[in-house]
Amino acid sequence: MERTRVFSGVKPTGHLTLGNYLGAMRRWAEVDQYRAEALFCVVDLHALTVDHDPARVRRLSRQAATLLLAAGLDPELCTLFVQSHVDEHARLSYLLECVATDGEMRRMIQYKEKAAREQQRGGSVRLSLLTYPVLMAADILAYGTDEVPVGDDQTQHVELTRDLAVRFNQRYGHTFVVPRATSPKVAARVMNLQDPLSKMGKSDDSGPGIVYLLDEPEVVEKKVMRAVTDSGRDVVYDPLERPGLANLLEILAACQGGNPEVLAGVYESYGALKKDTAEAVVELLRPVQARHRELCADPGFVEGVLRGGAEKAREMARPRVDAAYRAIGLLPT
C-alpha cells in the first residue's frame, strides 16, 4: 500500500519563529516524516512577491533549510529542498494560471489585505502577489500530495488548490490528486506576545512580540516576561475575552504537551505563568539552537542535503507535470 504523501513549505521572508516551530516544524519532524512520504520545501519563489533584498532572501533560505534540519528533519526519512531548484513548480504554475480565474485570485484574503494596505500608501502590489496562490497550488499538486499541514490562515489556499485540481481533472482528464488540509490541535497559531490578536509572523516588524528560534535565552525570557496580558488577576483560559493570557497558556501547553485549560488552574498569578512559560520556551529551543550551530560549522552538509533533495523532488514531480502538459494540449518535446 502506498504511503500518504505530505507536502509543506516555509517562506524565507524573515527569521523563523516560535510560531513556525510549534505550529508546523515540530510536527513535521516528530510526526509527518515518520508516518508519511514527506516533502518539505523552502519556498523561495514566494519570497519574490514583495519588495526584497536578493542577498537577504538567499541568506534566509539557507538559514531556513538549516533550521529545518536542526529541528529534526532527517534527509534519510524525508525530502528537503529549495523550490527554485525544481523547475516543475514554475512550469506547472503557468498551466494552473490557465485554469484559475481572476475572481478567485482577488478573493484571496492575504491578497486583499496586502493590496489594500499598499493602495493606502499610494502604491501597487506586484502581479506575482495576486497569482502566488496558483504557484502554491503547483507546489502541492506537482507531487501528488494527499495532505498539506497548514495553519488556519492558509486553509483558503489549500481549498483553492483543491478547486483547481478538480477543475483540471474534469476538463482535461484525471491528472492530479485532490489534497486536503490538516492542522495540529494545539498551538496551530501562536500569537504575537505584544499583540495577541495578530499571528506571530516572521515578516512582522514587531520584534518584542516575536520569539525567534535563534534568540538567546535571556532575550526569550525578556520577551515572554513582557508579554501583554489582560485585565483581571485570575488565571483563566478564555481565548475570546483574555487572548493574551490564552496565548501564554497555549504556548506553555505546546512546550510541555499539556492542556491550556488544565494549566490555567495551576497558576495563581500572571508572573508565575510567564516565568514558567519563558523557561519552557528556552528549554524547547536549546537543542534546536545547539544543532543549528553544528550545521553552520558544516555548510557542505546542508548544501548536499538540498542538492540531493532537489534531485529526488524533480524525479517525483516531472512525470506528473509532463502529463499535465500533454493533457492540456501542448506538444511533447
Side-chain angles (χ1 to χ4, degrees):
M1 190 176 75
E2 288 189 6
R3 298 173 76 197
T4 298
R5 187 167 288 180
V6 171
F7 177 96
S8 201
V10 60
K11 187 163 55 174
T13 50
H15 298 287
L16 294 177
T17 72
L18 179 67
N20 297 126
Y21 184 74
L22 290 178
M25 293 165 62
R26 184 170 66 169
R27 171 174 153 166
W28 298 349
E30 295 181 355
V31 179
D32 291 331
Q33 69 174 343
Y34 291 99
R35 71 174 181 86
E37 187 174 19
L39 298 102
F40 301 108
C41 183
V42 179
V43 288
D44 53 345
L45 294 176
H46 289 294
L48 311 185
T49 60
V50 295
D51 189 33
H52 64 277
D53 171 38
R56 186 170 188 264
V57 170
R58 283 191 291 270
R59 187 170 63 251
L60 289 174
S61 296
R62 179 182 293 276
Q63 184 185 88
T66 305
L67 278 168
L68 287 171
L69 290 170
L73 290 191
D74 183 346
E76 297 295 322
L77 296 174
C78 66
T79 304
L80 175 62
F81 65 104
V82 176
Q83 180 189 32
S84 63
H85 293 175
V86 181
D87 293 345
E88 278 63 33
H89 292 252
R91 288 180 62 209
L92 182 54
S93 182
Y94 180 74
L95 293 198
L96 295 178
E97 283 187 17
C98 297
V99 176
T101 67
D102 176 74
E104 284 175 316
M105 296 299 97
R106 295 185 189 279
R107 284 196 294 273
M108 292 290 111
I109 293 171
Q110 290 193 14
Y111 169 77
K112 288 167 67 174
E113 290 177 348
K114 290 180 179 179
R117 283 199 299 268
E118 197 60 36
Q119 195 171 29
Q120 287 178 346
R121 299 188 188 115
S124 179
V125 296
R126 298 181 180 191
L127 178 62
S128 56
L129 185 66
L130 177 66
T131 60
Y132 102 87
V134 176
L135 176 57
M136 182 176 173
D139 298 338
I140 296 165
L141 297 179
Y143 298 99
T145 302
D146 299 297
E147 294 182 9
V148 188
V150 291
D152 54 8
D153 59 326
Q154 290 291 334
T155 54
Q156 185 187 36
H157 291 150
V158 180
E159 286 304 312
L160 173 71
T161 301
R162 290 171 55 85
D163 291 343
L164 295 180
V166 169
R167 192 176 307 153
F168 191 103
N169 290 345
Q170 289 175 341
R171 290 180 182 176
Y172 306 115
H174 185 78
T175 307
F176 299 116
V177 174
V178 180
R180 61 186 178 276
T182 60
S183 60
K185 294 290 184 284
V186 179
R189 198 175 193 194
V190 178
M191 310 308 281
N192 189 300
L193 295 175
Q194 292 298 316
D195 179 10
L197 297 180
S198 300
K199 188 178 74 166
M200 188 182 282
K202 59 182 176 295
S203 53
D204 199 325
D205 292 330
S206 178
I210 303 169
V211 174
Y212 296 104
L213 294 187
L214 296 178
D215 276 347
E216 295 291 337
E218 58 271 20
V219 174
V220 172
E221 184 175 349
K222 184 180 294 185
K223 288 179 177 180
V224 175
M225 294 304 293
R226 293 180 178 177
V228 168
T229 49
D230 317 281
S231 58
R233 294 184 177 181
D234 53 325
V235 178
V236 295
Y237 180 67
D238 187 344
L240 291 179
E241 296 298 325
R242 312 279 285 278
L245 199 54
N247 189 37
L248 288 172
L249 288 165
E250 287 181 0
I251 290 171
L252 180 59
C255 289
Q256 297 182 340
N259 181 297
E261 292 185 59
V262 173
L263 284 171
V266 174
Y267 292 95
E268 296 182 356
S269 70
Y270 291 172
L273 171 62
K274 286 182 175 182
K275 183 174 181 294
D276 283 1
T277 302
E279 290 178 358
V281 173
V282 167
E283 289 307 311
L284 182 77
L285 298 184
R286 194 183 302 280
V288 177
Q289 293 178 354
R291 179 60 177 147
H292 179 265
R293 286 191 293 271
E294 292 175 1
L295 290 166
C296 286
D298 186 10
F301 175 77
V302 177
E303 291 171 6
V305 168
L306 296 179
R307 191 163 49 245
E311 290 174 5
K312 188 176 174 184
R314 277 193 293 271
E315 290 175 3
M316 296 170 72
R318 187 165 294 158
R320 184 170 280 98
V321 176
D322 286 348
Y325 267 60
R326 290 192 298 272
I328 206 169
L330 301 177
L331 285 172
T333 55

